[in-house]
Amino acid sequence: MKLAVLGTGVAGRTLATKLVEVGHEVVMGSRDAANPRAAEWAAAHGDRAASATFTDAARSADIVVNATAGAASLAALQSAGGGALAGKVLIDVANPLDFSHGMPPSLTVCNTDSLGEQIQRAFPKTRVVKTLNTVNADVMVDPGRVPGAHVIFVSGNEAEAKRVVVDLLGAFGWPRERVVDLGGIETARGTESYLLLWVPLMQRLGGPHFNVELAR
Ligand SMILES: NC(=O)c1ccc[n+]([C@@H]2O[C@H](COP(=O)([O-])OP(=O)(O)OC[C@H]3O[C@@H](n4cnc5c(N)ncnc54)[C@H](OP(=O)(O)O)[C@@H]3O)[C@@H](O)[C@H]2O)c1
């Protein structure tokens, strides 16, 4: 498949690398076609890797990954353009974190709304699935890095879009029984708000390689 990974940070580069490793064609998108991090990533990952603007990357892809800074995701996706995103599955891994007042961070949207919902509302023809935002990038693409039957969540309005995403998660190493479908995109409120716990946990544990396991 052809995927666009919008985002040149750690999450974007880690996801893009894994997607190439499991056999997909990936265009990394950023604001600037000459973005050095994207160009360097593309040069290092062979024929199936390329870089482009947000718009050109999204336009070229069957599936789009939003790995941009949460506070800027709507702007980044607007610059990709509704036309380029229409009809496509958009995997949203972004968290609307605001570190401008120091630690702990706050959320730019929460309680009665979420970034996942804002994206779905802004792009009604796009099939938004929120997932992977509750783990560090290394764990996203290598769940075996953390021991135990820890889980990953998906939120989205469309069953078929979630099925496509669950298959991709399987290729990353997430067995189906450890993917928890929370329901519609409004359930992204919970996974995004979990970051208010995730960040202090990361500080307390001294590193980001952990995840939650469900017991009942
Ligand atoms: N890092 C992780 O382990 C991790 C784990 C879970 C979730 N996430 C989420 O994944 C997302 C990416 O995280 P990250 O740490 O990889 O990188 P980041 O620094 O949060 O985001 C980098 C990306 O955001 C874009 N961006 C920043 N400001 C922008 C603006 N004003 N307009 C348009 N685009 C803008 C940048 O564009 P340019 O390329 O053009 O500079 C870049 O591609 C975040 O939402 C984060 O919460 C990250």
Side-chain angles (χ1 to χ4, degrees):
M1 273 189 298
K2 291 185 175 178
L3 286 101
V5 174
L6 309 184
T8 58
V10 173
R13 282 178 283 135
T14 304
L15 285 163
T17 299
K18 183 70 175 191
L19 286 165
V20 168
E21 280 171 12
V22 300
H24 299 295
E25 288 178 40
V26 178
V27 181
M28 181 176 286
S30 64
R31 284 171 285 189
D32 177 0
N35 182 299
R37 284 199 297 192
E40 197 178 298
W41 174 83
H45 289 88
D47 291 349
R48 293 199 304 273
S51 62
T53 59
F54 285 137
T55 323
D56 290 341
R59 206 172 272 149
S60 70
D62 308 312
I63 295 178
V64 179
V65 179
N66 174 37
T68 60
S73 288
L74 282 170
L77 293 170
Q78 295 290 3
S79 82
L85 299 172
K88 294 179 183 171
V89 173
L90 184 139
I91 303 174
D92 176 30
V93 309
N95 285 306
L97 290 168
D98 177 0
F99 290 98
S100 63
H101 302 292
M103 294 292 264
S106 56
L107 299 170
T108 59
V109 55
C110 62
N111 284 343
T112 54
D113 202 0
S114 61
L115 178 60
E117 288 166 276
Q118 289 182 326
I119 294 171
Q120 184 62 85
R121 280 199 304 276
F123 303 95
K125 294 182 180 157
T126 301
R127 305 151 75 199
V128 180
V129 179
K130 185 111 208 170
T131 191
L132 293 173
N133 60 310
T134 54
V135 292
N136 165 263
D138 297 329
V139 182
M140 290 182 188
V141 300
D142 182 13
R145 206 164 170 139
V146 175
H150 53 95
V151 297
I152 202 75
F153 303 103
V154 293
S155 303
N157 294 342
E158 203 204 300
E160 174 56 18
K162 286 192 275 195
R163 193 195 59 70
V164 169
V165 173
V166 170
D167 283 351
L168 266 182
L169 291 174
F172 287 2
W174 292 98
R176 207 161 283 243
E177 65 274 13
R178 279 167 45 198
V179 180
V180 180
D181 182 348
L182 292 172
I185 192 64
E186 70 282 359
T187 60
R189 294 173 199 178
T191 61
E192 292 177 10
S193 297
Y194 163 69
L195 267 290
L196 298 181
L197 174 61
W198 190 93
V199 173
L201 266 176
M202 190 261 291
Q203 293 182 301
R204 185 77 182 91
L205 298 173
H209 298 141
F210 62 90
N211 192 14
V212 294
E213 196 170 326
L214 296 184
R216 45 186 143 173

Coordinates of all heavy atoms in Angstrom, one line a residue, residues 105-149:
P105 N 2.1 18.8 31.4 CA 1.4 19.5 30.3 C -0.1 19.6 30.5 O -0.6 18.8 31.4 CB 1.8 18.7 29.1 CG 2.0 17.3 29.7 CD 2.6 17.5 31.1
S106 N -0.7 20.4 29.8 CA -2.2 20.4 29.7 C -2.6 20.0 28.3 O -1.7 19.7 27.5 CB -2.8 21.7 30.1 OG -2.2 22.7 29.3
L107 N -3.9 19.9 28.1 CA -4.4 19.5 26.8 C -5.0 20.7 26.1 O -5.7 21.5 26.8 CB -5.4 18.4 26.9 CG -4.9 17.1 27.5 CD1 -6.0 16.1 27.8 CD2 -3.9 16.4 26.6
T108 N -4.9 20.9 24.8 CA -5.5 22.0 24.1 C -7.0 21.8 23.9 O -7.7 22.7 23.6 CB -4.8 22.3 22.8 OG1 -4.9 21.1 22.0 CG2 -3.3 22.6 22.9
V109 N -7.4 20.5 24.0 CA -8.8 20.2 23.9 C -9.0 18.9 24.8 O -8.2 18.1 24.8 CB -9.2 19.9 22.4 CG1 -8.3 18.8 21.8 CG2 -10.6 19.5 22.3
C110 N -10.2 18.9 25.5 CA -10.4 17.8 26.4 C -11.9 17.8 26.9 O -12.7 18.6 26.5 CB -9.5 17.8 27.6 SG -9.6 19.2 28.6
N111 N -12.2 16.8 27.7 CA -13.5 16.7 28.4 C -14.6 16.4 27.4 O -15.1 15.3 27.3 CB -13.9 17.9 29.2 CG -13.1 17.9 30.5 OD1 -12.6 16.9 31.0 ND2 -13.1 19.1 31.2
T112 N -15.1 17.4 26.7 CA -16.3 17.3 25.9 C -15.9 17.2 24.4 O -16.8 17.3 23.5 CB -17.3 18.4 26.1 OG1 -16.5 19.6 25.9 CG2 -17.8 18.4 27.5
D113 N -14.6 17.1 24.1 CA -14.1 17.1 22.7 C -12.7 16.5 22.7 O -12.1 16.3 23.8 CB -14.1 18.5 22.2 CG -14.2 18.6 20.6 OD1 -14.3 17.5 20.0 OD2 -14.2 19.7 20.1
S114 N -12.2 16.3 21.6 CA -10.9 15.7 21.5 C -10.3 16.1 20.1 O -11.0 16.5 19.2 CB -10.9 14.2 21.6 OG -11.7 13.6 20.5
L115 N -9.0 15.9 20.0 CA -8.4 16.2 18.7 C -8.9 15.3 17.6 O -9.2 15.7 16.5 CB -6.8 16.1 18.8 CG -6.1 16.3 17.5 CD1 -6.3 17.7 17.0 CD2 -4.6 16.1 17.7
G116 N -9.1 14.0 18.0 CA -9.6 13.1 17.0 C -10.9 13.5 16.4 O -11.2 13.5 15.2
E117 N -11.8 14.0 17.3 CA -13.1 14.5 16.9 C -13.0 15.8 16.1 O -13.7 16.0 15.1 CB -14.0 14.7 18.1 CG -14.5 13.5 18.8 CD -15.1 13.8 20.2 OE1 -14.3 13.9 21.1 OE2 -16.3 14.0 20.3
Q118 N -12.1 16.7 16.5 CA -11.9 17.9 15.7 C -11.5 17.6 14.3 O -12.0 18.2 13.4 CB -10.9 18.8 16.4 CG -11.3 19.4 17.7 CD -10.3 20.3 18.3 OE1 -9.1 20.0 18.2 NE2 -10.7 21.3 19.0
I119 N -10.6 16.6 14.2 CA -10.1 16.2 12.8 C -11.3 15.6 12.0 O -11.5 16.0 10.9 CB -8.9 15.3 12.9 CG1 -7.7 16.0 13.5 CG2 -8.6 14.7 11.5 CD1 -6.6 15.1 13.9
Q120 N -12.0 14.7 12.7 CA -13.2 14.1 12.0 C -14.2 15.2 11.5 O -14.7 15.1 10.4 CB -13.8 13.0 12.9 CG -14.9 12.3 12.2 CD -14.4 11.5 11.0 OE1 -13.9 10.4 11.1 NE2 -14.5 12.0 9.8
R121 N -14.5 16.1 12.4 CA -15.4 17.2 12.0 C -14.9 18.1 10.9 O -15.6 18.5 10.0 CB -15.7 18.1 13.2 CG -16.7 17.5 14.2 CD -17.3 18.6 15.1 NE -16.4 19.4 15.8 CZ -15.8 19.1 17.0 NH1 -16.1 17.9 17.6 NH2 -14.9 19.9 17.5
A122 N -13.6 18.4 11.0 CA -13.0 19.3 9.9 C -12.9 18.6 8.6 O -13.0 19.2 7.5 CB -11.6 19.7 10.4
F123 N -12.8 17.2 8.6 CA -12.7 16.4 7.4 C -13.7 15.3 7.4 O -13.4 14.1 7.5 CB -11.3 15.9 7.2 CG -10.2 17.0 7.3 CD1 -9.6 17.3 8.5 CD2 -9.9 17.7 6.2 CE1 -8.6 18.3 8.6 CE2 -9.0 18.7 6.2 CZ -8.3 19.0 7.4
P124 N -15.0 15.7 7.2 CA -16.1 14.7 7.3 C -16.0 13.5 6.3 O -16.5 12.5 6.6 CB -17.3 15.5 7.1 CG -16.9 16.8 6.5 CD -15.5 17.0 6.9
K125 N -15.3 13.7 5.2 CA -15.1 12.7 4.2 C -13.9 11.8 4.5 O -13.7 10.8 3.8 CB -15.0 13.2 2.8 CG -16.3 14.0 2.3 CD -16.1 14.5 0.9 CE -17.4 15.2 0.5 NZ -17.2 16.1 -0.6
T126 N -13.2 12.1 5.5 CA -12.0 11.3 5.9 C -12.4 10.3 7.0 O -13.2 10.6 7.8 CB -10.9 12.3 6.3 OG1 -10.6 13.1 5.2 CG2 -9.6 11.5 6.7
R127 N -11.8 9.1 6.9 CA -12.2 8.1 7.9 C -11.1 8.0 9.0 O -10.1 7.3 8.9 CB -12.2 6.8 7.1 CG -13.2 6.9 5.9 CD -12.8 6.1 4.7 NE -13.2 4.7 5.0 CZ -12.6 3.7 4.3 NH1 -11.7 3.9 3.3 NH2 -13.0 2.4 4.6
V128 N -11.4 8.8 10.0 CA -10.4 9.0 11.1 C -10.4 7.8 12.1 O -11.4 7.5 12.6 CB -10.6 10.3 11.8 CG1 -9.6 10.5 12.9 CG2 -10.6 11.5 10.9
V129 N -9.2 7.3 12.3 CA -9.1 6.3 13.4 C -7.9 6.7 14.3 O -6.8 6.9 13.9 CB -8.7 4.9 12.8 CG1 -8.5 3.9 13.9 CG2 -9.8 4.4 11.8
K130 N -8.3 6.9 15.6 CA -7.3 7.3 16.6 C -6.7 6.0 17.1 O -7.4 5.1 17.6 CB -7.9 8.1 17.7 CG -7.0 8.6 18.7 CD -6.9 10.1 18.6 CE -5.6 10.6 19.0 NZ -5.5 12.1 18.7
T131 N -5.4 5.9 17.2 CA -4.7 4.8 17.8 C -3.2 5.1 18.0 O -2.7 6.2 17.6 CB -4.8 3.5 16.9 OG1 -4.4 2.4 17.7 CG2 -4.0 3.6 15.6
L132 N -2.6 4.3 18.8 CA -1.1 4.3 19.1 C -0.7 5.6 19.9 O 0.5 5.7 20.2 CB -0.3 4.3 17.8 CG -0.4 2.9 17.0 CD1 0.3 3.1 15.6 CD2 0.2 1.8 17.8
N133 N -1.6 6.5 20.1 CA -1.2 7.7 20.8 C -0.9 7.5 22.3 O -0.3 8.4 23.0 CB -2.3 8.8 20.7 CG -3.6 8.4 21.3 OD1 -4.1 7.3 21.0 ND2 -4.2 9.2 22.1
T134 N -1.2 6.3 22.8 CA -1.0 6.0 24.3 C 0.3 5.4 24.6 O 0.6 5.0 25.7 CB -2.2 5.2 24.8 OG1 -2.2 4.0 24.0 CG2 -3.5 5.9 24.8
V135 N 1.1 5.2 23.5 CA 2.5 4.6 23.8 C 3.6 5.4 23.1 O 3.3 6.1 22.1 CB 2.5 3.1 23.3 CG1 1.7 2.2 24.1 CG2 2.2 3.0 21.8
N136 N 4.8 5.2 23.6 CA 5.9 5.8 23.0 C 6.2 5.2 21.5 O 5.8 4.1 21.3 CB 7.1 5.5 23.9 CG 8.5 5.8 23.2 OD1 9.1 4.8 22.7 ND2 8.9 7.0 23.2
A137 N 6.8 6.0 20.7 CA 7.0 5.6 19.3 C 7.7 4.2 19.2 O 7.3 3.4 18.3 CB 7.8 6.7 18.5
D138 N 8.7 4.0 20.0 CA 9.4 2.7 19.9 C 8.4 1.5 20.2 O 8.5 0.5 19.6 CB 10.5 2.6 21.0 CG 11.6 3.6 20.7 OD1 11.8 4.0 19.6 OD2 12.2 4.1 21.7
V139 N 7.5 1.7 21.1 CA 6.5 0.7 21.5 C 5.4 0.6 20.4 O 4.9 -0.5 20.1 CB 5.9 1.0 22.9 CG1 4.9 -0.1 23.3 CG2 7.0 1.1 23.9
M140 N 5.1 1.7 19.8 CA 4.1 1.7 18.7 C 4.4 0.6 17.7 O 3.6 -0.2 17.2 CB 4.1 3.0 17.9 CG 3.5 4.2 18.6 SD 3.6 5.6 17.4 CE 3.1 6.9 18.5
V141 N 5.7 0.5 17.3 CA 6.1 -0.3 16.2 C 6.8 -1.6 16.7 O 7.2 -2.4 15.8 CB 7.1 0.4 15.2 CG1 6.3 1.6 14.6 CG2 8.4 0.8 15.8
D142 N 7.0 -1.7 18.0 CA 7.6 -2.9 18.5 C 7.1 -3.2 19.9 O 7.7 -3.0 20.9 CB 9.1 -2.7 18.6 CG 9.9 -3.9 19.1 OD1 9.3 -5.0 19.2 OD2 11.1 -3.8 19.4
P143 N 5.8 -3.7 20.0 CA 5.2 -3.9 21.3 C 5.9 -4.8 22.2 O 5.8 -4.8 23.4 CB 3.8 -4.4 21.0 CG 3.7 -4.7 19.5 CD 4.8 -3.9 18.9
G144 N 6.7 -5.7 21.5 CA 7.5 -6.7 22.3 C 8.6 -6.0 23.2 O 9.2 -6.7 24.0
R145 N 8.8 -4.8 23.0 CA 9.7 -4.0 23.8 C 9.3 -3.9 25.2 O 10.1 -3.6 26.1 CB 9.8 -2.6 23.2 CG 11.1 -2.0 23.5 CD 11.3 -0.8 22.7 NE 12.5 -0.2 23.3 CZ 13.5 0.3 22.6 NH1 13.5 0.3 21.3 NH2 14.6 0.7 23.3
V146 N 8.0 -4.1 25.4 CA 7.4 -4.1 26.8 C 6.8 -5.5 27.1 O 6.1 -6.0 26.2 CB 6.3 -3.0 26.9 CG1 5.6 -3.1 28.2 CG2 6.8 -1.6 26.6
P147 N 7.2 -6.1 28.2 CA 6.7 -7.4 28.4 C 5.2 -7.4 28.8 O 4.6 -6.4 29.2 CB 7.5 -7.9 29.6 CG 8.0 -6.7 30.3 CD 8.1 -5.6 29.3
G148 N 4.5 -8.5 28.7 CA 3.2 -8.7 29.1 C 2.1 -8.5 28.0 O 2.5 -8.1 26.9
A149 N 0.9 -8.7 28.3 CA -0.2 -8.6 27.4 C -0.8 -7.2 27.4 O -2.0 -7.0 27.5 CB -1.3 -9.7 27.6

